[in-house]
Amino acid sequence: MVKFIKIIKTKIRSLFALIKGKLGPFRYYLLAFTALGIFVDTFFFDFTSDLVILFFIFLWIMASWLFSFEGRVSVGVGLGFLVLCPFLLIFKADFIAEKAAVWAYMFLLVGVVHEIIEFREERTQEANTK
């Protein structure tokens, strides 16, 4: 059973390496498209769609993986959206503030999960070096 799990892990790692190799040259386009999409969704769309949010969060996760961002980057973007909310409420842009709050929550969630994964990887590396 352990041998089977090691084979699966090896296959998954090679698949991720293949995906990263194919998408690597397009990572700047992916990041720009993701940032523009989130900006347009926040400030210009008159509706809230869960599919749009999930699509752009998936693109953000892909871009952060291709750029090897740390979890702090997602947390920082989330805090930026969180800081934006009171100013939008002051200027009576309630719907935009609500959408910014949703994006803040999503980025904070992605950042925290990313930080947990990084922490587990560091613990595993420390255990393997001992």
Side-chain angles (χ1 to χ4, degrees):
M1 185 69 173
V2 175
K3 191 174 186 180
F4 177 72
I5 292 173
K6 287 183 181 181
I7 292 171
I8 295 296
K9 282 184 180 181
T10 305
K11 295 286 184 184
I12 290 173
R13 285 189 182 131
S14 64
L15 177 66
F16 281 159
L18 177 70
I19 291 171
K20 198 168 194 175
K22 296 288 184 184
L23 292 179
F26 303 106
R27 64 186 183 170
Y28 291 105
Y29 297 116
L30 180 67
L31 184 63
F33 178 73
T34 304
L36 181 66
I38 292 170
F39 178 79
V40 168
D41 178 57
T42 304
F43 293 103
F44 295 111
F45 285 171
D46 292 344
F47 61 91
T48 302
S49 172
D50 294 340
L51 289 177
V52 171
I53 292 169
L54 290 175
F55 176 71
F56 284 117
I57 285 297
F58 173 74
L59 289 181
W60 173 255
I61 291 169
M62 290 294 294
S64 66
W65 175 60
L66 289 173
F67 278 96
S68 300
F69 288 155
E70 294 181 358
R72 306 186 273 186
V73 175
S74 295
V75 171
V77 174
L79 290 175
F81 273 110
L82 199 59
V83 166
L84 184 64
C85 288
F87 295 106
L88 291 170
L89 289 171
I90 288 170
F91 293 115
K92 305 292 185 209
D94 295 339
F95 186 71
I96 297 172
E98 181 181 324
K99 289 176 82 171
V102 168
W103 281 112
Y105 175 77
M106 293 306 290
F107 277 109
L108 290 171
L109 178 68
V110 168
V112 167
V113 170
H114 194 168
E115 286 289 335
I116 290 170
I117 291 170
E118 287 177 3
F119 178 72
R120 287 187 65 203
E121 287 176 355
E122 288 175 8
R123 259 179 87 194
T124 304
Q125 287 177 354
E126 288 177 4
N128 288 340
T129 58
K130 288 183 180 181

